[in-house]
Amino acid sequence: MTRPRISARISAISESATLAVDARAKAMKAAGRPVIGFGAGEPDFPTPDYIVEAAVEASRNPRFHKYTPAGGLPELKQAIADKTLRDSGFQVDASQVLVTNGGKQAVYEAFATLLDPGDEVIVIAPYWTTYPEAIRLAGGVQVDVVTDETTGYLATVEQLEEKLTDRTKVLLFVSPSNPTGAVYTPAQVEEIGRWALDKGLWVVTDEIYEHLVYGDAVFSSIATAVPELRERVVVLNGVAKTYAMTGWRVGWLIGPSDVVKAATNLQSHATSNVANVSQAAALAAVTGDLSAVAQMREAFDRRRQTIVRMLNEIPGVLCPEPLGAFYAYPSVKALLGKELRGRRPQTSAELAELILEEAEVALVPGEAFGTPGYFRLSYALGDDDLAEGVSRVAKLLGEAR
Ligand code: PMP
């Protein structure tokens, strides 16, 4: 009997669509084409100097050449607990913190630790590409609540209620959201948290964009909005977006002690501790102030306003105002099926392909986020590139008939 070379579990995992778009754009650039990329969810700023300095110092100190405990440097775990109290009012002990290889590993470990095969997770679509893979790999079943531009991509308790079954174990809650930039009001966060509490659900909440909110929007942590959730809430976070530290790979998971203990056991066999020098850098980041992110937020806010205005000026494109993170998520449904440069793209994936070839602009189609008919544009790129890139898209899409 011939057995498949790749296991069914792993063959079911697809390539990260956002990284694929980014890689394709970089390859075209390397081949000399002037591609402008709106694909990557990565701040264009360098990591602040004082954080880099802390890492340089650590790398010269033999103590940081060794393993740390699998769950992280004790002083970093304490600093993350302190920072969590400072930023979201959620009081936790250092023993409730697990330091992970980026927010991504925290996502995988959270679902691996909470889900048995067949357990259902309610996920609000559009959703970030990594969640479905992490849920499926853990044997979980994703149940989507689909939102759209008419509500600014916000889900209501009534919509969540419709998807509740006796197999539902977890609600995944992400605000500010990747890919839509949607931010729930504190009252909405509390209402959703109370509902999850009443239904006896766990809440996994991804707070990685907590410091990137604009205008009148405020970040509210579901863990503090509904304190009674404390025994059934897992908070995911990291330094990548707040401190422009994507390449350092430091994130964390906060939860009840038994969950953190179990997730730490998993990590101790999979990857052990996060690179010690990176942990030293993260320690400098989370014990420092928030002035660097305040500066980045200003730049992002300016780009956000430009991109939303420019996108909404394109006939057939509809972009609600994103209130957080650094993404715009316009609908392009009105353009599908129209004639453009001799072709007739029927899906947002086909339209994104055409835009990449004809306008040399890379954006991620909504297919990657569970909602075809949309694009995600990251506005974490320089102001000039942003304006030039959207102008090229506008010029091209203006030809659609
Ligand atoms: N959560 C969300 C919502 C994200 O957008 C990202 C990065 N794209 C992450 C977690 C993970 O970030 P990292 O692994 O780089 O820390």
Side-chain angles (χ1 to χ4, degrees), residues 24 28 33 37 43 55 62 89 111 128 158 194 196 205 214 226 259 264 329 331 339 367 374:
R24 175 103 199 273
M28 284 173 71
R33 294 182 64 182
F111 290 118
W128 179 45
E158 291 68 37
R194 291 252 156 247
T205 184
Y214 312 103
V226 182
V259 170
T264 307
Y329 202 72
S331 163
E339 202 257 282
E367 279 82 350
Y374 299 81

Side-chain angles (χ1 to χ4, degrees), residues 51-61 248 277 281:
I51 298 173
V52 175
E53 283 312 316
V56 169
E57 214 170 284
S59 67
R60 294 210 172 93
N61 179 348
W248 298 81
V277 168

Side-chain angles (χ1 to χ4, degrees), residues 43 102-103 208 237-247 249-251 296 326:
I208 205 154
N237 206 332
V239 293
K241 319 287 175 175
T242 302
Y243 305 99
M245 289 179 72
T246 45
R249 311 310 304 140
V250 184
M296 287 192 283
F326 39 59

Side-chain angles (χ1 to χ4, degrees), residues 102-104 128 131 174 178 206 208-209 240-241 246 249-250 327:
K104 249 179 202 175
W128 179 45
Y131 303 130
V174 188
N178 173 6
D206 187 335
I208 205 154
Y209 295 103
K241 319 287 175 175
T246 45
R249 311 310 304 140
V250 184
Y327 307 101

Side-chain angles (χ1 to χ4, degrees), residues 19-246:
L19 294 186
V21 167
D22 195 47
R24 175 103 199 273
K26 282 182 177 144
M28 284 173 71
K29 243 189 207 162
R33 294 182 64 182
V35 174
I36 296 180
F38 289 86
E42 180 161 64
D44 60 322
F45 304 100
T47 303
D49 285 345
Y50 64 95
I51 298 173
V52 175
E53 283 312 316
V56 169
E57 214 170 284
S59 67
R60 294 210 172 93
N61 179 348
R63 184 186 152 220
F64 290 92
H65 303 169
K66 307 290 186 194
Y67 293 127
T68 75
L73 276 175
E75 59 269 44
L76 176 58
K77 288 173 36 167
Q78 184 59 54
I80 290 168
D82 295 345
K83 165 252 167 282
T84 304
L85 184 62
R86 175 193 71 187
D87 295 344
S88 59
F90 189 38
Q91 185 154 21
V92 294
D93 190 78
S95 65
Q96 292 177 260
V97 177
L98 166 59
V99 181
T100 60
N101 281 279
K104 249 179 202 175
Q105 192 180 26
V107 171
Y108 270 84
E109 290 175 348
F111 290 118
T113 304
L114 291 178
L115 299 180
D116 275 317
D119 285 345
E120 292 178 2
V121 182
I122 296 181
V123 177
I124 298 165
Y127 45 74
W128 179 45
T129 41
T130 288
Y131 303 130
E133 308 295 353
I135 292 167
R136 185 144 31 100
L137 198 57
V141 176
Q142 175 177 339
V143 177
D144 288 356
V145 166
V146 180
T147 64
D148 65 23
E149 66 279 16
T150 60
T151 62
Y153 308 106
L154 296 176
T156 62
V157 161
E158 291 68 37
Q159 285 176 294
L160 301 177
E161 180 78 32
E162 275 172 30
K163 302 291 175 161
L164 188 72
T165 75
D166 54 9
R167 297 305 317 258
T168 312
K169 181 165 183 187
V170 178
L171 167 69
L172 173 63
F173 186 72
V174 188
S175 172
S177 152
N178 173 6
T180 63
V183 179
Y184 289 80
T185 66
Q188 289 165 333
V189 173
E190 184 179 344
E191 195 192 355
I192 289 173
R194 291 252 156 247
W195 174 81
L197 179 74
D198 282 353
K199 304 300 172 188
L201 302 182
W202 285 78
V203 177
V204 172
T205 184
D206 187 335
E207 302 189 340
I208 205 154
Y209 295 103
E210 64 183 332
H211 291 295
L212 295 177
V213 292
Y214 312 103
D216 295 334
V218 287
F219 165 74
S220 168
S221 173
I222 200 165
T224 34
V226 182
E228 303 94 312
L229 270 177
R230 146 174 296 278
E231 279 309 305
R232 283 205 308 271
V233 71
V234 175
V235 178
L236 314 177
N237 206 332
V239 293
K241 319 287 175 175
T242 302
Y243 305 99
M245 289 179 72
T246 45

